[in-house]
Amino acid sequence: GPLFGRENVEKLFQPSETEFKDFVKRQVPCVIQGLDLGECLQTWTPEALKKQIGAREVSVHVSKHPLLDFVRKNFEYKLMTIQQLISRICDSRRTNKEWLYFRALGRNHRKDPAFLSDFSDFSPEFQKAFQLPDPLMPPPSHLFSSVFRASSHNLQLWCHYDVPANFLCQIRGRKRVLMTPPSEAFNLYVSDSSSPVLNLWGRPDFDRFPFTWHSLRKSTEAYLEPGDVLYIPPFWFHTAQTLPPCNWRPRGAAEVIHAA
């Protein structure tokens, strides 16, 4: 049956570059532990980020529902500063009236991928605090983006896939991620790159989406703590949920995406 609340992802502890490259050939997810992500684990506190990049205005997904649905769009895009974003994320844990999800965009939103260096106008220290460990670093020509994310507690992101591989780096707080192989696209009723099936950790609507059961039986689940790095192979479907206790957290200080 589906593996709810039971971690079954493979783990690598302080792998060498060769060990990681050998693992990648298997095209399955893994959690990488024991590598140095930089000073961000200590310095990316809510108050520090308010001071460093708080004035930056960003577009944020805001919803009255914790289960974000990209297919039916049960959220609005709202402009606010990073400082306002952090304050509202902290407040949302107390009020449970709104859920916020922020994914940094490139300087030209329609053309450019996002990088941490996009915040350098506000704070050079922000970018320097994060580093992708050398054993995981792809060649520069394969690095697609480095995306700063933050979200409210208990928010579940819609299930989707990305064409490039992902390193999801957990900096603050905790989360769990459910990953499903590309072969399950039919059973997840995928539209473009996203699935309309919600609440995969609770009880999905099996009346509307009866084949979802088959995809859950093939899913892999990971729980992430600060300092963990989750490797998601190309085209693997994934959905993430923020776990308490935490007032706020980047959903991966950098989600480093590279072409496999």
Side-chain angles (χ1 to χ4, degrees):
L3 297 167
F4 294 140
R6 187 151 60 91
E7 186 173 39
N8 64 334
V9 70
E10 295 194 48
K11 294 185 178 181
L12 300 178
F13 184 75
Q14 294 183 345
S16 67
E17 182 178 354
T18 300
E19 289 170 336
F20 178 68
K21 285 184 176 179
D22 287 343
F23 183 91
V24 166
K25 295 174 184 176
R26 296 172 51 192
Q27 289 295 290
V28 295
C30 70
V31 171
I32 303 145
Q33 298 177 318
L35 296 180
D36 183 12
L37 298 181
E39 297 178 359
C40 56
L41 290 170
Q42 289 76 41
T43 62
W44 281 8
T45 65
E47 290 307 314
L49 291 178
K50 283 182 180 181
K51 292 178 181 178
Q52 287 185 9
I53 59 173
R56 173 78 178 265
E57 190 173 62
V58 294
S59 177
V60 179
H61 300 69
V62 181
S63 178
K64 297 188 182 299
H65 309 278
L67 307 177
L68 290 195
D69 184 346
F70 190 75
V71 175
R72 291 180 287 270
K73 300 290 193 300
N74 64 346
F75 53 82
E76 297 179 299
Y77 295 103
K78 294 189 177 180
L79 288 176
M80 64 187 75
T81 63
I82 293 279
Q83 184 168 2
Q84 292 169 329
L85 167 71
I86 293 173
S87 296
R88 287 176 67 167
I89 284 177
C90 293
D91 290 344
S92 69
R93 176 170 170 79
R94 176 175 50 82
T95 64
N96 283 318
K97 291 183 178 180
E98 66 174 5
W99 285 264
L100 297 90
Y101 168 65
F102 167 60
R103 178 194 185 282
L105 301 173
R107 291 181 183 273
N108 184 326
H109 295 179
R110 298 185 181 276
K111 294 182 179 180
D112 298 336
F115 286 95
L116 296 184
S117 58
D118 295 338
F119 292 90
S120 60
D121 294 350
F122 293 85
S123 171
E125 294 77 20
F126 171 75
Q127 175 194 0
K128 295 175 182 177
F130 171 81
Q131 64 181 26
L132 187 66
D134 287 339
L136 310 182
M137 181 63 74
S141 62
H142 287 200
L143 185 63
F144 179 72
S145 64
S146 182
V147 183
F148 180 73
R149 298 172 183 254
S151 68
S152 298
H153 78 296
N154 287 336
L155 180 137
Q156 286 187 36
L157 191 65
W158 60 87
C159 184
H160 66 285
Y161 74 83
D162 298 306
V163 174
N166 283 257
F167 290 119
L168 192 56
C169 305
Q170 187 72 14
I171 304 304
R172 296 188 66 84
R174 304 162 54 238
K175 70 165 157 292
R176 59 181 179 177
V177 184
L178 194 70
M179 295 157 287
T180 309
S183 59
E184 295 303 302
F186 175 82
N187 292 331
L188 286 171
Y189 301 84
V190 173
S191 172
D192 284 332
S193 62
S194 299
S195 169
V197 185
L198 305 181
N199 201 20
L200 290 171
W201 276 289
R203 180 170 176 80
D205 189 343
F206 290 122
D207 292 332
R208 290 186 61 198
F209 308 111
F211 296 124
T212 301
W213 176 261
H214 302 291
S215 72
L216 291 174
R217 296 185 67 181
K218 296 183 179 179
S219 295
T220 299
E221 189 173 29
Y223 284 73
L224 303 181
E225 302 285 343
D228 288 345
V229 179
L230 175 63
Y231 170 71
I232 306 175
F235 296 105
W236 272 68
F237 297 97
H238 49 282
T239 177
Q241 182 185 30
T242 319
L243 297 175
C246 64
N247 288 329
W248 96 290
R249 56 132 181 94
R251 181 194 162 235
E255 179 176 3
V256 182
I257 304 177
H258 70 92

